[in-house]
Coordinates of all heavy atoms in Angstrom, one line a residue:
M1 N 0.8 -1.2 0.0 CA 0.0 0.0 0.0 C 0.9 1.3 0.0 O 1.9 1.3 0.7 CB -0.9 -0.1 1.2 CG -1.8 1.1 1.3 SD -3.1 0.8 2.5 CE -4.0 2.3 2.4
T2 N 0.4 2.3 -0.7 CA 1.2 3.5 -0.8 C 1.0 4.4 0.3 O -0.1 4.6 0.8 CB 0.8 4.3 -2.0 OG1 0.9 3.4 -3.2 CG2 1.6 5.5 -2.3
D3 N 2.1 4.9 0.8 CA 2.0 5.9 2.0 C 1.7 7.3 1.4 O 2.6 7.8 0.6 CB 3.3 5.9 2.8 CG 3.3 6.8 4.0 OD1 2.5 7.6 4.1 OD2 4.2 6.7 4.8
P4 N 0.6 7.9 1.7 CA 0.3 9.2 1.1 C 1.2 10.3 1.6 O 1.3 11.4 1.0 CB -1.1 9.5 1.6 CG -1.3 8.6 2.8 CD -0.4 7.5 2.6
D5 N 2.0 10.1 2.6 CA 3.0 11.1 3.1 C 4.4 11.1 2.4 O 5.2 11.9 2.6 CB 3.2 11.1 4.6 CG 1.9 11.4 5.3 OD1 1.1 12.3 4.9 OD2 1.6 10.8 6.4
K6 N 4.6 10.1 1.5 CA 5.8 9.9 0.9 C 5.5 9.9 -0.6 O 4.5 9.4 -1.1 CB 6.4 8.5 1.2 CG 6.9 8.4 2.7 CD 7.6 7.1 2.9 CE 8.0 7.0 4.4 NZ 8.6 5.7 4.7
P7 N 6.5 10.5 -1.4 CA 6.2 10.5 -2.8 C 6.3 9.1 -3.4 O 7.0 8.2 -2.9 CB 7.4 11.4 -3.3 CG 8.4 11.3 -2.3 CD 7.7 11.1 -1.1
C8 N 5.6 8.9 -4.4 CA 5.6 7.5 -5.2 C 6.9 7.3 -5.8 O 7.5 8.2 -6.5 CB 4.4 7.5 -6.2 SG 4.3 5.9 -7.0
P9 N 7.5 6.1 -5.6 CA 8.8 5.8 -6.2 C 8.7 5.4 -7.7 O 9.7 5.2 -8.4 CB 9.3 4.6 -5.4 CG 8.1 4.0 -4.9 CD 7.1 5.0 -4.7
H10 N 7.4 5.4 -8.3 CA 7.2 5.0 -9.7 C 8.0 3.8 -10.1 O 8.8 3.8 -10.9 CB 7.6 6.2 -10.6 CG 6.9 7.5 -10.2 ND1 5.6 7.6 -10.1 CD2 7.5 8.7 -10.0 CE1 5.3 9.0 -9.8 NE2 6.4 9.6 -9.7
L11 N 7.7 2.7 -9.5 CA 8.4 1.4 -9.7 C 7.8 0.6 -10.9 O 8.5 -0.1 -11.6 CB 8.4 0.5 -8.5 CG 9.0 1.1 -7.3 CD1 8.9 0.2 -6.0 CD2 10.5 1.4 -7.6
D12 N 6.5 0.8 -11.2 CA 5.8 0.1 -12.3 C 5.1 1.1 -13.2 O 4.6 2.1 -12.7 CB 4.9 -0.9 -11.8 CG 5.5 -2.0 -11.0 OD1 6.4 -2.7 -11.5 OD2 5.2 -2.1 -9.8
F13 N 5.0 0.8 -14.5 CA 4.4 1.7 -15.4 C 3.3 1.0 -16.3 O 3.3 -0.2 -16.5 CB 5.4 2.3 -16.4 CG 6.5 2.9 -15.6 CD1 7.7 2.3 -15.2 CD2 6.4 4.3 -15.3 CE1 8.6 2.9 -14.5 CE2 7.4 4.9 -14.6 CZ 8.5 4.3 -14.1
N14 N 2.3 1.9 -16.8 CA 1.4 1.4 -17.8 C 1.7 2.3 -19.0 O 2.0 3.5 -18.9 CB -0.1 1.8 -17.4 CG -0.5 0.9 -16.2 OD1 -0.1 -0.2 -16.1 ND2 -1.3 1.5 -15.3
A15 N 1.8 1.6 -20.2 CA 2.1 2.3 -21.4 C 0.8 2.0 -22.3 O 0.4 0.9 -22.4 CB 3.3 1.8 -22.1
Y16 N 0.3 3.1 -23.0 CA -0.8 3.0 -23.8 C -0.3 3.4 -25.3 O 0.2 4.5 -25.4 CB -1.9 3.9 -23.4 CG -2.3 3.6 -22.0 CD1 -1.8 4.3 -20.9 CD2 -3.3 2.5 -21.7 CE1 -2.2 4.0 -19.6 CE2 -3.6 2.2 -20.4 CZ -3.1 2.9 -19.4 OH -3.5 2.6 -18.1
V17 N -0.5 2.6 -26.3 CA -0.1 2.9 -27.6 C -1.3 2.8 -28.6 O -2.0 1.8 -28.5 CB 1.0 1.9 -28.1 CG1 1.5 2.2 -29.5 CG2 2.2 2.0 -27.1
E18 N -1.5 3.8 -29.3 CA -2.5 3.8 -30.3 C -1.9 4.0 -31.7 O -1.2 5.0 -31.9 CB -3.5 5.0 -30.1 CG -4.7 5.0 -31.0 CD -5.6 6.2 -30.7 OE1 -5.9 6.5 -29.5 OE2 -6.1 6.8 -31.7
I19 N -2.1 3.0 -32.6 CA -1.6 3.1 -33.9 C -2.7 3.7 -34.8 O -3.8 3.3 -34.9 CB -1.1 1.7 -34.5 CG1 -0.2 1.0 -33.4 CG2 -0.6 1.8 -35.8 CD1 1.1 1.8 -33.2
N20 N -2.3 4.7 -35.6 CA -3.2 5.5 -36.5 C -2.8 5.2 -38.0 O -1.6 5.3 -38.3 CB -3.1 6.9 -36.2 CG -3.5 7.2 -34.8 OD1 -4.6 7.1 -34.4 ND2 -2.5 7.6 -34.0
R21 N -3.8 4.9 -38.8 CA -3.6 4.9 -40.2 C -4.0 6.3 -40.8 O -5.1 6.7 -40.5 CB -4.5 3.8 -40.9 CG -4.0 2.4 -40.5 CD -4.9 1.4 -41.1 NE -4.6 0.1 -40.6 CZ -4.8 -0.5 -39.5 NH1 -5.4 0.2 -38.5 NH2 -4.4 -1.7 -39.2
L22 N -3.1 6.9 -41.4 CA -3.4 8.3 -41.9 C -3.7 8.3 -43.4 O -3.1 7.6 -44.2 CB -2.1 9.1 -41.7 CG -1.6 9.2 -40.3 CD1 -0.2 9.9 -40.2 CD2 -2.6 9.7 -39.3
T23 N -4.8 9.0 -43.7 CA -5.3 9.1 -45.1 C -5.5 10.6 -45.5 O -5.7 11.4 -44.6 CB -6.6 8.3 -45.2 OG1 -7.6 9.0 -44.4 CG2 -6.4 6.9 -44.9
D24 N -5.6 10.9 -46.8 CA -5.8 12.2 -47.2 C -7.3 12.6 -47.0 O -7.6 13.8 -46.9 CB -5.5 12.3 -48.7 CG -4.0 12.3 -48.9 OD1 -3.2 12.7 -47.9 OD2 -3.5 11.9 -50.0
H25 N -8.3 11.6 -47.1 CA -9.6 11.8 -46.9 C -10.3 10.5 -46.5 O -9.6 9.5 -46.4 CB -10.3 12.3 -48.2 CG -10.0 11.4 -49.4 ND1 -8.9 11.3 -50.1 CD2 -10.8 10.4 -49.9 CE1 -9.0 10.4 -51.1 NE2 -10.1 9.8 -50.9
D26 N -11.5 10.6 -45.9 CA -12.2 9.5 -45.5 C -12.2 8.3 -46.5 O -12.5 8.6 -47.6 CB -13.7 9.8 -45.1 CG -13.8 10.7 -43.9 OD1 -12.8 10.8 -43.1 OD2 -14.9 11.3 -43.7
N27 N -11.9 7.2 -46.0 CA -11.9 5.9 -46.9 C -10.9 6.0 -48.0 O -10.9 5.2 -48.9 CB -13.2 5.6 -47.4 CG -14.3 5.4 -46.3 OD1 -14.0 4.7 -45.3 ND2 -15.5 5.9 -46.5
G28 N -9.9 7.0 -47.8 CA -8.9 7.1 -48.8 C -7.8 6.1 -48.6 O -7.8 5.4 -47.5
P29 N -6.8 6.0 -49.5 CA -5.6 5.0 -49.2 C -4.8 5.5 -48.1 O -4.7 6.7 -47.8 CB -4.9 5.1 -50.6 CG -5.2 6.4 -51.2 CD -6.7 6.7 -50.7
V30 N -4.2 4.6 -47.4 CA -3.3 4.9 -46.3 C -2.1 5.6 -46.8 O -1.4 5.1 -47.8 CB -2.9 3.7 -45.5 CG1 -1.9 4.0 -44.4 CG2 -4.2 3.1 -44.9
T31 N -1.8 6.8 -46.4 CA -0.5 7.6 -46.8 C 0.5 7.7 -45.7 O 1.5 8.2 -45.9 CB -1.0 8.9 -47.3 OG1 -1.7 9.6 -46.2 CG2 -1.9 8.9 -48.4
G32 N 0.2 7.1 -44.5 CA 1.2 7.1 -43.4 C 0.6 6.5 -42.2 O -0.6 6.1 -42.2
Y33 N 1.5 6.3 -41.2 CA 1.1 5.7 -40.0 C 1.8 6.5 -38.8 O 2.7 7.2 -39.0 CB 1.6 4.3 -39.8 CG 1.1 3.3 -40.9 CD1 1.8 3.1 -42.1 CD2 -0.1 2.6 -40.6 CE1 1.2 2.2 -43.0 CE2 -0.5 1.7 -41.6 CZ 0.1 1.5 -42.8 OH -0.3 0.7 -43.7
S34 N 1.1 6.5 -37.7 CA 1.7 7.1 -36.5 C 1.3 6.3 -35.2 O 0.3 5.6 -35.2 CB 1.3 8.6 -36.3 OG 0.0 8.7 -36.0
A35 N 2.2 6.4 -34.2 CA 1.9 5.8 -33.0 C 1.8 6.9 -31.9 O 2.6 7.8 -31.8 CB 3.0 4.8 -32.6
D36 N 0.7 6.9 -31.2 CA 0.5 7.9 -30.1 C 0.8 7.1 -28.9 O 0.1 6.0 -28.5 CB -0.9 8.4 -30.0 CG -1.2 9.2 -31.3 OD1 -0.3 9.6 -32.0 OD2 -2.4 9.6 -31.6
I37 N 1.7 7.6 -28.0 CA 2.2 6.8 -26.8 C 2.0 7.6 -25.6 O 2.5 8.8 -25.5 CB 3.7 6.4 -27.0 CG1 3.9 5.6 -28.3 CG2 4.1 5.5 -25.8 CD1 5.3 5.5 -28.8
R38 N 1.4 7.0 -24.6 CA 1.2 7.7 -23.3 C 1.8 6.7 -22.2 O 1.6 5.5 -22.3 CB -0.2 8.0 -22.9 CG -0.8 9.1 -23.9 CD -2.3 9.3 -23.6 NE -3.1 8.2 -24.1 CZ -3.8 7.4 -23.3 NH1 -4.0 7.6 -22.0 NH2 -4.5 6.3 -23.9
V39 N 2.4 7.3 -21.2 CA 3.0 6.5 -20.0 C 2.5 7.1 -18.7 O 2.5 8.3 -18.6 CB 4.5 6.5 -20.1 CG1 5.1 5.7 -19.0 CG2 5.0 5.9 -21.4
E40 N 2.1 6.2 -17.8 CA 1.7 6.6 -16.5 C 2.3 5.6 -15.4 O 2.5 4.5 -15.8 CB 0.2 6.8 -16.3 CG -0.5 5.5 -16.3 CD -2.0 5.6 -16.2 OE1 -2.6 6.7 -16.5 OE2 -2.7 4.6 -15.9
C41 N 2.4 6.1 -14.2 CA 2.8 5.2 -13.0 C 1.6 4.3 -12.8 O 0.4 4.7 -12.7 CB 3.1 6.0 -11.8 SG 3.5 5.0 -10.4
A42 N 1.9 3.0 -12.7 CA 0.8 2.0 -12.5 C 0.3 2.1 -11.0 O -0.9 1.7 -10.8 CB 1.4 0.6 -12.6
H43 N 1.0 2.8 -10.1 CA 0.5 2.9 -8.7 C -0.3 4.2 -8.5 O -1.4 4.1 -8.0 CB 1.6 2.7 -7.7 CG 2.3 1.4 -7.9 ND1 1.7 0.2 -7.5 CD2 3.4 1.0 -8.5 CE1 2.5 -0.8 -7.8 NE2 3.6 -0.3 -8.4
C44 N 0.4 5.3 -8.8 CA -0.3 6.6 -8.4 C -1.0 7.2 -9.6 O -1.7 8.2 -9.4 CB 0.7 7.5 -7.8 SG 1.9 8.1 -9.0
R45 N -0.9 6.6 -10.8 CA -1.4 7.1 -12.1 C -0.9 8.4 -12.6 O -1.5 9.1 -13.4 CB -3.0 7.2 -12.0 CG -3.7 5.9 -11.5 CD -3.6 5.0 -12.7 NE -4.5 3.8 -12.4 CZ -4.0 2.5 -12.4 NH1 -2.8 2.3 -12.8 NH2 -4.9 1.5 -12.2
E46 N 0.3 8.9 -12.0 CA 0.8 10.2 -12.5 C 1.3 10.0 -13.9 O 1.9 9.0 -14.2 CB 2.0 10.6 -11.6 CG 2.6 11.9 -12.1 CD 3.7 12.5 -11.2 OE1 4.0 11.8 -10.2 OE2 4.2 13.5 -11.5
R47 N 0.9 10.9 -14.8 CA 1.3 10.8 -16.2 C 2.8 11.3 -16.3 O 3.2 12.1 -15.6 CB 0.4 11.7 -17.0 CG -1.0 11.2 -17.2 CD -1.7 12.2 -18.0 NE -3.1 11.7 -18.3 CZ -3.9 12.3 -19.1 NH1 -3.7 13.4 -19.7 NH2 -5.1 11.8 -19.2
F48 N 3.5 10.7 -17.3 CA 4.9 11.1 -17.5 C 4.9 12.0 -18.8 O 4.0 11.9 -19.6 CB 5.7 9.9 -17.8 CG 6.2 9.3 -16.4 CD1 5.3 8.7 -15.6 CD2 7.6 9.4 -16.1 CE1 5.6 8.2 -14.3 CE2 7.9 8.9 -14.8 CZ 7.0 8.3 -14.0
R49 N 5.8 13.0 -18.8 CA 5.9 14.0 -19.9 C 7.1 13.6 -20.8 O 8.2 13.2 -20.3 CB 6.1 15.3 -19.3 CG 4.9 15.8 -18.6 CD 5.1 17.2 -18.0 NE 4.0 17.6 -17.2 CZ 2.9 18.3 -17.5 NH1 2.8 18.7 -18.8 NH2 1.9 18.5 -16.6
W50 N 7.0 13.8 -22.0 CA 8.1 13.7 -23.0 C 9.0 14.9 -23.0 O 8.6 15.9 -23.2 CB 7.5 13.3 -24.4 CG 6.7 12.1 -24.4 CD1 5.4 12.1 -24.3 CD2 7.2 10.7 -24.4 NE1 5.0 10.7 -24.2 CE2 6.0 9.9 -24.3 CE3 8.4 10.2 -24.6 CZ2 6.1 8.5 -24.4 CZ3 8.5 8.8 -24.6 CH2 7.4 8.0 -24.5
I51 N 10.3 14.6 -22.9 CA 11.3 15.7 -22.7 C 12.0 16.0 -24.1 O 12.4 15.0 -24.8 CB 12.4 15.3 -21.7 CG1 11.7 15.1 -20.3 CG2 13.5 16.3 -21.6 CD1 12.6 14.5 -19.3
G52 N 12.1 17.2 -24.5 CA 12.9 17.6 -25.6 C 12.3 17.3 -26.9 O 12.9 17.4 -28.0
V53 N 10.9 17.2 -26.9 CA 10.1 16.9 -28.1 C 9.2 18.1 -28.4 O 8.5 18.5 -27.5 CB 9.3 15.6 -28.0 CG1 8.6 15.3 -29.3 CG2 10.1 14.5 -27.6
P54 N 9.3 18.7 -29.6 CA 8.5 19.8 -29.9 C 7.0 19.5 -29.9 O 6.6 18.4 -30.2 CB 8.9 20.4 -31.3 CG 9.6 19.2 -31.8 CD 10.1 18.4 -30.7
A55 N 6.1 20.4 -29.6 CA 4.6 20.2 -29.6 C 4.1 20.3 -31.0 O 4.5 21.2 -31.8 CB 4.0 21.1 -28.6
G56 N 3.2 19.4 -31.4 CA 2.6 19.5 -32.7 C 2.4 18.1 -33.2 O 2.3 17.1 -32.5
M57 N 2.4 18.0 -34.6 CA 2.3 16.7 -35.3 C 3.0 16.8 -36.6 O 2.9 17.9 -37.3 CB 0.9 16.3 -35.5 CG 0.7 14.9 -36.0 SD -1.1 14.3 -36.0 CE -1.4 14.7 -37.7
S58 N 3.8 15.8 -37.0 CA 4.6 15.9 -38.2 C 4.7 14.5 -38.8 O 4.7 13.5 -38.0 CB 6.0 16.4 -37.8 OG 6.8 16.3 -39.0
G59 N 4.7 14.3 -40.1 CA 5.0 13.1 -40.7 C 6.5 12.8 -40.9 O 6.8 11.7 -41.3
S60 N 7.3 13.6 -40.4 CA 8.8 13.4 -40.5 C 9.6 13.3 -39.3 O 10.8 13.0 -39.3 CB 9.4 14.5 -41.5 OG 9.2 15.8 -40.9
Q61 N 9.0 13.7 -38.2 CA 9.7 13.7 -36.8 C 8.7 13.4 -35.7 O 7.6 13.9 -35.8 CB 10.5 14.9 -36.7 CG 9.7 16.1 -36.3 CD 10.5 17.4 -35.9 OE1 11.7 17.4 -36.3 NE2 9.9 18.3 -35.3
P62 N 9.2 12.8 -34.6 CA 8.3 12.7 -33.4 C 8.0 14.1 -32.9 O 8.8 15.0 -32.8 CB 9.1 11.8 -32.5 CG 10.1 11.2 -33.4 CD 10.4 12.1 -34.4
M63 N 6.8 14.2 -32.4 CA 6.4 15.4 -31.7 C 5.4 15.0 -30.5 O 5.1 13.9 -30.4 CB 5.7 16.4 -32.7 CG 6.5 16.9 -33.8 SD 5.8 18.1 -34.9 CE 6.4 19.6 -34.0
C64 N 5.1 16.0 -29.7 CA 4.2 15.7 -28.5 C 3.0 16.5 -28.5 O 2.9 17.6 -29.2 CB 5.0 15.8 -27.2 SG 5.5 17.4 -26.7
S65 N 2.1 16.2 -27.7 CA 0.8 16.9 -27.4 C 1.2 18.2 -26.7 O 2.3 18.3 -26.1 CB -0.1 16.1 -26.6 OG 0.5 15.7 -25.3
P66 N 0.4 19.2 -26.7 CA 0.7 20.5 -26.0 C 1.1 20.3 -24.5 O 1.9 21.0 -24.0 CB -0.6 21.3 -26.2 CG -1.2 20.8 -27.5 CD -0.9 19.4 -27.5
D67 N 0.4 19.3 -23.8 CA 0.8 19.1 -22.4 C 1.9 18.1 -22.2 O 2.2 17.8 -21.1 CB -0.5 18.6 -21.7 CG -1.0 17.2 -22.1 OD1 -0.4 16.6 -23.0 OD2 -2.0 16.7 -21.5
E68 N 2.6 17.7 -23.3 CA 3.8 16.9 -23.3 C 3.5 15.4 -22.8 O 4.5 14.7 -22.5 CB 4.9 17.5 -22.5 CG 5.3 18.8 -23.0 CD 6.4 19.5 -22.1 OE1 6.4 19.2 -20.8 OE2 7.2 20.2 -22.6
T69 N 2.3 15.0 -22.6 CA 2.0 13.6 -22.0 C 1.8 12.6 -23.1 O 1.7 11.4 -22.8 CB 0.8 13.7 -21.1 OG1 -0.4 14.1 -21.8 CG2 1.0 14.6 -19.9
E70 N 1.8 13.0 -24.4 CA 1.6 12.0 -25.5 C 2.6 12.2 -26.6 O 2.8 13.3 -27.1 CB 0.1 12.2 -26.1 CG -0.2 11.2 -27.2 CD -1.6 11.4 -27.7 OE1 -2.5 10.9 -27.1 OE2 -1.7 12.1 -28.7
L71 N 3.4 11.2 -26.9 CA 4.3 11.2 -28.0 C 3.6 10.9 -29.2 O 2.9 9.8 -29.3 CB 5.5 10.2 -27.7 CG 6.6 10.2 -28.8 CD1 7.3 11.6 -28.7 CD2 7.5 9.1 -28.5
R72 N 3.8 11.5 -30.3 CA 3.2 11.4 -31.6 C 4.3 11.0 -32.5 O 5.0 12.0 -33.0 CB 2.3 12.6 -32.1 CG 1.2 12.9 -31.1 CD 0.7 14.2 -31.4 NE -0.4 14.5 -30.5 CZ -1.1 15.6 -30.4 NH1 -0.7 16.7 -31.1 NH2 -2.1 15.9 -29.6
A73 N 4.5 9.8 -32.8 CA 5.7 9.3 -33.6 C 5.2 8.7 -34.9 O 4.5 7.7 -35.0 CB 6.4 8.2 -32.8
P74 N 5.7 9.4 -36.0 CA 5.4 8.8 -37.4 C 6.2 7.6 -37.6 O 7.3 7.4 -37.0 CB 5.9 9.9 -38.3 CG 6.9 10.7 -37.6 CD 6.4 10.6 -36.1
M75 N 5.7 6.6 -38.4 CA 6.4 5.4 -38.6 C 6.0 4.9 -40.0 O 5.1 5.4 -40.6 CB 6.1 4.4 -37.5 CG 4.7 4.0 -37.3 SD 4.5 3.0 -35.9 CE 2.9 2.3 -36.3
R76 N 6.8 3.9 -40.5 CA 6.5 3.3 -41.8 C 6.9 1.8 -41.8 O 7.7 1.5 -41.0 CB 7.3 4.0 -42.9 CG 8.8 4.0 -42.8 CD 9.5 4.7 -43.9 NE 10.9 4.8 -43.7 CZ 11.7 3.8 -44.1 NH1 11.2 2.8 -44.7 NH2 13.0 3.9 -43.8
P77 N 6.3 1.1 -42.7 CA 6.7 -0.4 -42.7 C 8.1 -0.4 -43.1 O 8.6 0.4 -44.0 CB 5.8 -0.9 -43.8 CG 4.6 0.0 -43.9 CD 5.1 1.3 -43.5
A78 N 8.9 -1.4 -42.7 CA 10.3 -1.6 -43.0 C 10.4 -1.7 -44.5 O 11.5 -1.4 -45.1 CB 10.9 -2.8 -42.3
S79 N 9.5 -2.4 -45.2 CA 9.5 -2.6 -46.6 C 9.2 -1.4 -47.5 O 9.4 -1.5 -48.7 CB 8.6 -3.8 -47.0 OG 7.3 -3.5 -46.7
S80 N 8.7 -0.3 -46.9 CA 8.4 0.9 -47.7 C 9.5 1.7 -48.1 O 10.6 1.7 -47.6 CB 7.3 1.7 -46.9 OG 7.9 2.3 -45.8
D81 N 9.3 2.6 -49.0 CA 10.3 3.6 -49.4 C 10.6 4.5 -48.3 O 9.7 4.9 -47.5 CB 9.8 4.5 -50.6 CG 9.7 3.7 -51.9 OD1 10.5 2.7 -52.1 OD2 8.7 4.0 -52.8
P82 N 11.8 5.0 -48.2 CA 12.2 5.9 -47.1 C 11.4 7.2 -47.0 O 11.3 7.8 -46.0 CB 13.7 6.3 -47.3 CG 14.2 5.1 -48.1 CD 13.0 4.7 -49.0
D83 N 10.8 7.6 -48.1 CA 10.0 8.9 -48.1 C 8.5 8.6 -47.8 O 7.6 9.5 -47.8 CB 10.2 9.6 -49.4 CG 9.7 8.9 -50.6 OD1 9.4 7.6 -50.5 OD2 9.6 9.5 -51.7
F84 N 8.1 7.3 -47.5 CA 6.6 7.1 -47.2 C 6.2 7.9 -46.1 O 6.9 8.0 -45.0 CB 6.6 5.6 -46.9 CG 5.2 5.1 -46.5 CD1 4.3 4.8 -47.5 CD2 4.8 5.0 -45.2 CE1 3.0 4.4 -47.3 CE2 3.4 4.7 -44.9 CZ 2.6 4.3 -46.0
G85 N 5.0 8.6 -46.3 CA 4.4 9.4 -45.2 C 5.0 10.8 -45.0 O 4.5 11.5 -44.2
L86 N 6.0 11.2 -45.8 CA 6.6 12.5 -45.6 C 5.8 13.7 -46.1 O 5.9 14.8 -45.7 CB 8.0 12.6 -46.2 CG 9.0 11.7 -45.5 CD1 10.4 11.8 -46.2 CD2 9.1 11.9 -44.0
G87 N 4.8 13.4 -47.0 CA 3.9 14.4 -47.5 C 2.7 14.8 -46.6 O 1.9 15.6 -47.0
I88 N 2.6 14.1 -45.5 CA 1.5 14.3 -44.6 C 1.6 15.7 -44.0 O 2.6 16.1 -43.4 CB 1.4 13.3 -43.6 CG1 1.2 11.9 -44.2 CG2 0.4 13.6 -42.5 CD1 1.4 10.8 -43.2
P89 N 0.6 16.5 -44.0 CA 0.6 17.9 -43.4 C 0.7 17.7 -41.9 O 0.2 16.7 -41.3 CB -0.7 18.6 -43.9 CG -1.6 17.5 -44.3 CD -0.7 16.3 -44.7
G90 N 1.3 18.7 -41.3 CA 1.3 18.6 -39.8 C 1.2 20.1 -39.2 O 0.8 21.0 -40.0
F91 N 1.5 20.3 -38.0 CA 1.5 21.6 -37.4 C 2.5 21.6 -36.2 O 2.9 20.5 -35.7 CB 0.1 21.9 -36.9 CG -0.5 21.0 -35.8 CD1 -0.3 21.4 -34.5 CD2 -1.1 19.9 -36.1 CE1 -0.7 20.6 -33.5 CE2 -1.6 19.0 -35.1 CZ -1.4 19.4 -33.8
A92 N 2.9 22.7 -35.8 CA 3.8 23.0 -34.7 C 3.2 24.0 -33.8 O 2.5 25.0 -34.3 CB 5.1 23.4 -35.1
I93 N 3.4 23.8 -32.5 CA 2.9 24.8 -31.5 C 4.1 25.4 -30.8 O 4.9 24.7 -30.4 CB 2.0 24.1 -30.4 CG1 0.8 23.4 -31.1 CG2 1.6 25.1 -29.3 CD1 0.0 22.5 -30.1
T94 N 4.2 26.7 -30.9 CA 5.3 27.4 -30.3 C 4.8 28.3 -29.2 O 3.8 28.9 -29.3 CB 6.2 28.2 -31.3 OG1 5.4 29.1 -31.9 CG2 6.8 27.2 -32.3
M95 N 5.7 28.5 -28.3 CA 5.3 29.5 -27.1 C 6.1 30.8 -27.4 O 7.3 30.7 -27.7 CB 5.7 28.8 -25.8 CG 5.2 29.7 -24.6 SD 5.5 28.9 -23.0 CE 7.0 29.6 -22.6
R96 N 5.3 31.8 -27.3 CA 6.0 33.2 -27.4 C 5.9 33.9 -26.1 O 4.8 34.0 -25.5 CB 5.2 34.0 -28.5 CG 6.1 34.4 -29.6 CD 5.4 35.3 -30.5 NE 4.1 34.7 -30.9 CZ 3.4 35.3 -31.9 NH1 3.7 36.3 -32.6 NH2 2.2 34.7 -32.2
M97 N 7.0 34.5 -25.7 CA 7.0 35.2 -24.5 C 6.6 36.7 -24.8 O 7.1 37.3 -25.8 CB 8.4 35.2 -23.8 CG 8.9 33.8 -23.5 SD 7.9 33.0 -22.3 CE 8.3 33.8 -20.8
E98 N 5.7 37.2 -24.0 CA 5.3 38.6 -24.2 C 6.4 39.5 -23.6 O 7.0 39.3 -22.6 CB 4.0 38.8 -23.5 CG 2.8 38.1 -24.1 CD 1.5 38.6 -23.5 OE1 1.4 39.7 -23.0 OE2 0.6 37.7 -23.5
A99 N 6.6 40.7 -24.3 CA 7.6 41.7 -23.8 C 7.0 42.4 -22.6 O 5.8 42.5 -22.4 CB 7.8 42.7 -24.9
P100 N 7.9 42.6 -21.6 CA 7.4 43.3 -20.3 C 6.9 44.6 -20.5 O 7.1 45.3 -21.4 CB 8.7 43.3 -19.4 CG 9.9 43.0 -20.4 CD 9.3 42.4 -21.6

């Protein structure tokens, strides 16, 4: 049993992976794949954040959700061309500091 006065040591984890087939339009051919990955502590359910990954979505590089708790990683079958999925539109979220 967890002691509420001590921080959780995060000894065990749950990982959730959702594989997405990306298309240009409904019922269209698959033009790419991505894996959305979330990790949490199995005991206290605290979510883990992805470090050093820009926020957004891209067909050419891993990115994360705005709250950093979901990794969005593009992927391709090993047998596909190296440029498979690279034409998929994406977006980036940047933070701008206001001037004082």
